[in-house]
Amino acid sequence: METAKEHFQIVFVGHVDHGKSTLLGRLYADTDSLPVGHLDKVRDICARQGKVFEYAFLFDAFLEEQEQGITIDTARTFFSWGERQYIIIDAPGHKEFLKNMISGAARAEAAVLIIDAGEGIQEQSKRHGYLLSLLGIRQVVVVVNKMDLVGYSEEAFRAIEKEYRAFLAQLRLEPQYFIPASARNGDNVAATSTAMPWYRGHTLLESLAHFVKLPARTDLPLRIPVQDIYKFDPRRIIAGRVEAGTFSVGDTLVFSPSNKTAVVKSIEAFNVPNVIHSVPAGRSAGFTLDEQIFVERGEVASHKDAAPEVSDRFRANIFWMGKNPVLTGGRYLLRIATTEVEMEVEAILGIIDASTLGRGESPQRIEKNDVAEVIIRTRRPIALDRYADIDTTGRFVIIEGYDIQGGGIVMEVFKDEQEPFRAEARRRDFEWRRGEIHLDERVQRNGHYPGIVLFTGEKGSGKARLARHLERRLFNGGKQVYLLDGKNLQYGLGTDLSGSDKEEMVRRFGEVAQILLRAGQIVVSTTNTFALADHQIIRALVHPHTVITVHMSFVEGALPDNTDLHFLESDDLKAAAKTIMELMEEKNILL
């Protein structure tokens, strides 16, 4: 039987009219890789349109493209040569179709960049190089095409090579080869050119064989973004792709951002002759844990000593492809690995000039096809890495409506005011000694999940009155609920603290609240004892338990961040409590 060939994906990109489609057509024609009858079919199309046959038409698959003479859609074609089957991604070079180029390049393992020897390096050529670097493509060959138009001049070729190599070096891209070629005449495409005796390097076809299949990222810290949780009999199988590192049966995993920890009990597989004990990067896996902790899609499993960052704020470089411009304060959906979360563009730091890689002054908006440096804030903390450390958990896409309109990479993760409390919560959760009763058992008995309802607002606005009414309604409904008032802690756990130790008092309050939550309770509390902003510290300490924030006021007005519900002091208690309980059902506290 014939040995299965290795598959390798390469994206071809270049500025419009630099001859990319012609180069691909020539490559396929010279390697006898065209489907039977395809060449004659294209010649017939050219005759009907009154055009001279061009090799570009072998790839421009749609009639609209052939009429306009540019590649619009991303085409994927295949050909075998040597020990490989190449998957060629023909990405459009026109600025208006940059989104198609990015979607195609995102799947590639290597890239071929095409530059017209006559026109030289264009802004779009630099933009393509920059976007390839954003997408993490590090294997690159540059083809200087149309050498016949400059008389096969070595001087012209070397000038382009020097300039473009220096530009790519700023992006940490080191091309394996610069190849002078003429796609129209077949020079250095599949066969060595006799017109350029000064060039003794590889042809394009030979250079493709020198691209190496990238090894799995087994030497990096473990990252398994959770895709789903499946229940089979009593087992709960956590499924996800190992994006980096390796894990084995018996490993202790931590799930971020929830800080849940457990030991890998088994690695599940179907129809395999031997039991699997470990899984390396690049493979998908299903595994069970030694205890039934509650893990959700979007969390990232890692080893405890090398967990990802957890934050709700980071600096990023993004490219924007949407029709509507990005404005400061704009809200979108961010998808990173398997996590989806609401995000806000907190600040636009500058537009990055693709020609110089310099950053312009802070603009007010990001237009279509712009590359910009921004600060992003997410609605809740997420697990992520700097792109320079681990690319798969350091790059993301931005969704507006139902479509992907942009993407980017994480440059810097910010530590906010709650970071010390998040770090404390992580250390505490890592070392927490659990009892024999699991959360699932408490939920089954209580009929609800734990959660906390925090009431904020001005003094006298009715917070305590509504909190007590809600506690009574929940208790009468058979729920395990407790009203935790900060004043009570001041007279007990806080007797050693002075008025200036408010932050420590809030920390102790949060720790008491999380103990009650671990016990399966619904906690109801007001922030009378604390400042309005202190409930963010409480959120950090009780994470990942659900927190509902209810704001009370005398009149309508601006609401604090992360407010879930708002009531006036004059609103009916019963109606307000009913609304809160409906939200508790939506957030899966009440079942």
Side-chain angles (χ1 to χ4, degrees):
M1 294 180 63
E2 183 178 346
T3 303
K5 291 190 175 185
E6 177 183 78
H7 288 68
F8 196 89
Q9 300 195 73
I10 305 173
V11 63
F12 279 64
V13 295
H15 184 65
V16 65
D17 291 333
H18 278 204
K20 171 177 54 61
S21 294
T22 302
L23 182 68
L24 282 167
R26 188 80 202 209
L27 178 65
Y28 271 54
D30 288 359
T31 56
D32 294 324
S33 300
L34 293 172
V36 175
H38 189 70
L39 183 59
D40 292 337
K41 177 182 177 181
V42 173
R43 290 187 188 277
D44 289 342
I45 292 175
C46 290
R48 289 200 305 270
Q49 295 180 349
K51 293 183 177 181
V52 177
F53 168 75
E54 296 182 21
Y55 282 96
F57 291 144
L58 296 174
F59 262 73
D60 290 341
F62 299 105
L63 182 61
E64 181 182 2
E65 297 174 5
Q66 292 156 3
E67 291 172 347
Q68 295 183 10
I70 60 173
T71 302
I72 295 174
D73 204 1
T74 299
R76 298 174 79 240
T77 54
F78 311 84
F79 82 97
S80 293
W81 192 261
E83 300 301 316
R84 275 184 178 162
Q85 182 179 39
Y86 292 99
I87 302 169
I88 302 300
I89 305 166
D90 179 20
H94 198 282
K95 184 176 180 179
E96 290 304 310
F97 308 115
L98 198 61
K99 182 176 181 179
N100 304 52
M101 174 260 163
I102 292 168
S103 64
R107 300 190 294 268
E109 300 169 83
V112 174
L113 280 157
I114 298 98
I115 296 176
D116 186 316
E119 291 189 10
I121 301 164
Q122 302 295 306
E123 179 183 352
Q124 192 73 339
S125 306
K126 294 185 176 182
R127 189 186 298 271
H128 286 155
Y130 186 80
L131 292 175
L132 289 176
S133 73
L134 283 183
L135 293 168
I137 297 174
R138 289 289 175 263
Q139 299 188 89
V140 176
V141 162
V142 179
V143 175
V144 182
N145 191 27
K146 302 187 182 182
M147 287 295 297
D148 54 309
L149 299 184
V150 295
Y152 296 107
S153 166
E154 180 179 7
E155 182 180 359
F157 170 74
R158 297 300 179 194
I160 290 174
E161 178 186 13
K162 180 180 179 180
E163 180 185 348
Y164 203 50
R165 190 181 290 276
F167 173 78
L168 295 178
Q170 298 177 67
L171 303 171
R172 296 187 300 166
L173 284 177
E174 179 63 33
Q176 278 97 324
Y177 308 107
F178 271 79
I179 301 172
S182 170
R184 174 182 294 175
N185 298 331
D187 294 295
N188 287 333
V189 179
T192 301
S193 171
T194 58
M196 292 175 280
W198 46 266
Y199 176 74
R200 295 180 174 84
H202 294 292
T203 65
L204 171 61
L205 182 61
E206 291 169 339
S207 74
L208 302 185
H210 287 264
F211 286 135
V212 298
K213 195 75 175 175
L214 295 178
R217 302 172 174 86
T218 54
D219 58 336
L220 294 175
L222 178 66
R223 296 291 184 268
I224 313 174
V226 175
Q227 292 179 349
D228 212 337
I229 295 89
Y230 301 97
K231 293 183 179 180
F232 290 94
D233 302 322
R235 295 174 300 164
R236 297 178 77 245
I237 299 176
I238 299 172
R241 176 181 167 86
V242 184
E243 298 291 356
T246 301
F247 80 103
S248 305
V249 174
D251 285 0
T252 298
L253 301 184
V254 57
F255 294 85
S256 299
S258 71
N259 296 340
K260 302 288 182 63
T261 60
V263 175
V264 178
K265 182 179 180 180
S266 67
I267 296 173
E268 303 293 323
F270 297 100
N271 299 322
V272 294
N274 300 312
V275 176
I276 298 175
H277 294 286
S278 64
V279 180
R283 291 180 55 186
S284 296
F287 56 94
T288 64
L289 303 172
D290 66 336
E291 60 177 292
Q292 301 293 341
I293 62 173
F294 181 71
V295 175
E296 294 181 291
R297 173 182 168 86
E299 299 207 51
V300 178
S302 68
H303 289 127
K304 190 163 63 174
D305 58 350
E309 302 266 16
V310 173
S311 181
D312 61 355
R313 191 167 174 265
F314 58 92
R315 179 171 61 86
N317 285 356
I318 68 170
F319 50 86
W320 185 247
M321 303 173 291
K323 293 181 180 179
N324 301 319
V326 175
L327 306 177
T328 301
R331 295 180 181 273
Y332 307 92
L333 188 68
L334 179 138
R335 181 187 298 159
I336 182 166
T338 57
T339 299
E340 287 191 357
V341 61
E342 292 180 28
M343 58 155 278
E344 176 186 348
V345 178
E346 182 179 291
I348 302 172
L349 302 179
I351 302 296
I352 298 172
D353 188 334
S355 301
T356 64
L357 298 183
R359 193 182 81 185
E361 295 183 3
S362 300
Q364 299 300 313
R365 55 204 288 147
I366 303 171
E367 301 289 354
K368 182 179 180 180
N369 295 328
D370 277 345
V371 178
E373 184 176 1
V374 300
I375 294 176
I376 291 174
R377 181 184 292 277
T378 55
R379 182 171 176 79
R380 54 179 170 78
I382 60 173
L384 71 170
D385 291 287
R386 290 192 318 130
Y387 177 78
D389 297 330
I390 302 180
D391 59 350
T392 50
T393 46
R395 63 187 177 203
F396 56 88
V397 297
I398 302 171
I399 300 169
E400 183 181 36
Y402 298 99
D403 296 323
I404 294 175
Q405 303 288 12
I409 59 175
V410 178
M411 304 298 293
E412 179 184 5
V413 180
F414 292 133
K415 310 292 186 183
D416 59 19
E417 295 177 354
Q418 278 71 53
E419 180 57 31
F421 301 100
R422 287 200 197 100
E424 174 187 324
R426 298 197 99 182
R427 289 191 299 269
R428 172 244 292 157
D429 290 344
F430 289 165
E431 303 301 330
W432 193 267
R433 300 200 174 189
R434 297 178 176 86
E436 287 296 313
I437 313 303
H438 295 162
L439 175 62
D440 285 351
E441 295 177 85
R442 298 186 191 278
V443 171
Q444 187 174 4
R445 172 168 293 186
N446 295 339
H448 61 80
Y449 279 94
I452 182 169
V453 182
L454 283 178
F455 288 86
T456 67
E458 303 170 48
K459 186 176 181 179
S461 59
K463 299 188 299 294
R465 188 161 53 94
L466 180 54
R468 284 178 168 78
H469 180 76
L470 177 65
E471 180 193 29
R472 171 55 66 182
R473 286 279 296 271
L474 291 169
F475 182 80
N476 289 346
K479 312 306 179 188
Q480 298 294 317
V481 59
Y482 187 79
L483 178 66
L484 182 64
D485 194 301
K487 279 289 184 183
N488 296 337
L489 268 68
Q490 278 187 324
Y491 299 133
L493 287 176
T495 53
D496 59 324
L497 300 178
S498 65
S500 61
D501 295 326
K502 179 158 288 190
E503 189 173 273
E504 173 60 18
M505 187 66 239
V506 175
R507 189 194 70 81
R508 295 184 187 185
F509 178 92
E511 291 294 350
V512 171
Q514 69 90 20
I515 289 174
L516 290 173
L517 292 167
R518 285 178 185 270
Q521 298 278 318
I522 295 172
V523 178
V524 178
S525 182
T526 68
T527 55
N528 283 328
T529 316
F530 315 123
L532 187 61
D534 290 336
H535 73 273
Q536 298 293 353
I537 298 176
I538 297 171
R539 282 179 177 269
L541 289 170
V542 303
H543 184 80
H545 294 292
T546 301
V547 178
I548 293 176
T549 303
V550 180
H551 188 69
M552 303 287 296
S553 64
F554 293 101
V555 295
E556 297 286 354
L559 301 176
D561 291 341
N562 295 314
T563 296
D564 295 294
L565 292 172
H566 172 231
F567 300 106
L568 297 177
E569 184 272 339
S570 57
D571 286 343
D572 180 71
L573 278 180
K574 291 183 179 180
K578 183 175 183 292
T579 302
I580 295 171
M581 292 172 69
E582 288 172 349
L583 182 59
M584 293 173 73
E585 290 181 3
E586 289 180 25
K587 291 183 174 287
N588 293 321
I589 297 176
L590 301 180
L591 302 179

